[in-house]
Amino acid sequence: MATHDKYSDKKLKALGQRLKELRIAKGYKNYEQFAYDNRIPRAQYGRYENGQDLRFSSLCKVLKALDISFEEFFRGFN
């Protein structure tokens, strides 16, 4: 398991929170249904929302499923 510094951990948590907010805004009350509907492994997507590391290709897939651009996703990202 890769270790991260505190800064990276904080950013991963914020990224996960942003994914969760966008999923809820799309009308999905739980991550499992969103993951299922978009052919993303449910446990894997759950880890993303919990702030665990994810690959760039996985982020691309999730943002496509959310129908949001990288610019929109990272706008206001702290």
Side-chain angles (χ1 to χ4, degrees), residues 58-73:
S58 299
L59 180 59
C60 291
K61 185 174 184 176
V62 171
L63 295 184
K64 182 177 180 184
L66 289 167
D67 191 31
I68 187 170
S69 70
F70 275 90
E71 292 82 9
E72 291 171 298
F73 180 75

Side-chain angles (χ1 to χ4, degrees), residues 32-45:
E32 292 173 327
Q33 190 62 50
F34 172 79
Y36 179 80
D37 285 353
N38 291 285
R39 298 181 177 160
I40 302 168
R42 290 176 290 206
Q44 183 179 9
Y45 183 78

Side-chain angles (χ1 to χ4, degrees), residues 46-60:
R47 288 190 296 271
Y48 300 159
E49 284 196 6
N50 284 324
Q52 295 182 14
D53 211 356
L54 73 152
R55 295 174 14 189
F56 180 76
S57 59
S58 299
L59 180 59
C60 291

